[in-house]
């Protein structure tokens, strides 16, 4: 795994450096659109980080298959089925990358491509949700397995867009994906599923290579391609982990991912409440409010202006928020009711924190 991680890290970081140099000084659609309301930085930054992530992931997974077929000294058991993971990933990843290159692909087409990735995961990899950790729900899934397939489609199609929503500041979505990937890898190793563990560790390493250029300086953004890669791979590993290992509670990945999941659901709710289309971008997400209502106030005016170019001080607030769910998820990965309780606690905490920020009632110890 260490060898594959090193390959993923090096390929991703070198590819990212090449893209930064290639696109430097070129005013093309590869750069973030200045007219977007969710833009909170100055300057022209390429949004092609997804290419680096995809390169690091595919090369390391391919090397893992070669290593397993050459004697498998690390007992990774990565067979030719690993290539089907790449096939299932490609529609969503390429759709996001094409959007980053052209900024002309509508949400409808991108959603269709993520749904295609979900359908391929079901068809090629046999993915399904066999249980939900609640006896009467498990009975329903047993009698109607198509419901589990529907949940798979929803997870693989929805999580990429959830990561895309929280991808707004240097290091935010990337670090969240890195921490979640490492938590998934830890539980994979706990249940001795080294194959899944190696796949998700490669994603973590590729993300680390990308973050070298994304945080704190923000020289390269993940874009839709990067967010879709994180979402699809993490969703697929989460589903496969629960499906292949009965000891793992299905609520373990839910708690791990509750931040991007709830951010998405809450955003849909507040937009519908305001009579706005859920697909319409705005600047009222939780991380954007933290930047506008908390981070700017911590620094003097001259430093606040520089924050528009280096918005990296926003991300640590959300990293800490994410750890509130990751830590209990890792500690209680096989305790369904405890995990469900922490999910409910996060939802309440999020809503309370959001309302406090909106109403300018943030405690002084957070602001200073």
């Amino acid at each position: 795994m260490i060898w594959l991680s090193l390959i993923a890290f090096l390929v991703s970081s070198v590819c990212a450096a090449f893209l930064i140099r290639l696109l430097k000084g070129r005013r093309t659609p590869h750069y973030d659109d200045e007219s977007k309301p969710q833009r909170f930085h100055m300057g022209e930054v390429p949004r092609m980080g997804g290419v680096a992530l995809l390169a690091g992931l595919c090369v390391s997974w391919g090397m893992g298959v070669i290593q397993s077929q050459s004697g498998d000294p690390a007992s990774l058991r990565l067979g030719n089925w690993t290539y089907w993971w790449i096939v299932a990933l490609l529609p969503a990843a390429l759709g996001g990358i094409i959007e980053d290159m052209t900024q002309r692909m509508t949400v409808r087409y991108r959603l269709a491509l993520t749904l295609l990735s979900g359908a391929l995961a079901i068809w090629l990899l046999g993915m399904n949700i066999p249980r939900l950790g609640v006896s009467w729900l498990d009975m329903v899934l047993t009698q109607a397995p198509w419901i589990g397939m529907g949940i798979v489609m929803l997870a693989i199609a929805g999580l990429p867009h959830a990561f895309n929503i929280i991808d707004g500041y240097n290091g935010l979505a990337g670090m969240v994906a890195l921490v979640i990937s490492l938590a998934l890898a830890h539980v994979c190793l706990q249940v001795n599923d080294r194959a899944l563990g190696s796949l998700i560790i490669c994603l973590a390493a590729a993300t680390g290579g990308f973050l070298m250029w994304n945080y704190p300086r923000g020289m390269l953004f993940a874009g839709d391609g990067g967010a879709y890669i994180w979402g699809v791979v993490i969703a697929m590993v989460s589903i496969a982990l629960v499906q292949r290992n009965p000891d793992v509670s299905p609520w373990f990945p839910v708690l791990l991912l509750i931040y991007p999941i709830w951010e998405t659901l809450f955003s849909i709710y507040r937009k519908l409440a305001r009579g706005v289309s859920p697909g319409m971008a705005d600047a009222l997400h939780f991380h954007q409010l933290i930047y506008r209502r908390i981070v700017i106030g911590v620094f003097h005016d001259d430093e606040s202006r520089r924050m528009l170019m280096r918005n990296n001080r926003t991300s640590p607030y959300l990293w800490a928020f994410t750890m509130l769910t990751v830590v209990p998820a890792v500690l209680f990965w096989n305790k369904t009711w405890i995990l469900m309780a922490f999910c409910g606690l996060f939802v309440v905490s999020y809503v309370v924190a959001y309302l406090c920020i909106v109403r300018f009632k943030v405690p002084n110890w957070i602001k200073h």
Side-chain angles (χ1 to χ4, degrees), residues 1-9 60 64 67 72-78 185-186 188-190 192-202 205:
M1 286 189 187
I2 296 176
W3 171 243
L4 296 183
S5 299
L6 181 61
I7 292 174
F9 179 86
S60 58
Q67 178 180 328
D72 203 11
S75 301
L76 298 182
R77 299 186 293 276
L78 292 177
H186 170 76
C188 286
L189 295 179
Q190 289 288 311
N192 199 32
D193 196 334
R194 296 180 62 82
L196 276 183
S198 60
L199 295 181
I200 196 65
I201 282 179
C202 287

Side-chain angles (χ1 to χ4, degrees), residues 19 46 57 104 270 349:
L19 289 169
L57 205 59
R104 293 180 178 178
R270 62 177 176 76
S349 301

Side-chain angles (χ1 to χ4, degrees), residues 1 182-198 200-201 241 245 247-248 252 329-334:
M1 286 189 187
L182 292 175
L184 284 168
H186 170 76
V187 174
C188 286
L189 295 179
Q190 289 288 311
V191 296
N192 199 32
D193 196 334
R194 296 180 62 82
L196 276 183
S198 60
I200 196 65
I201 282 179
L241 178 63
N245 302 278
D247 291 339
V248 180
F252 162 66
V330 171
L331 291 176
F332 305 106
W333 54 269
N334 56 352

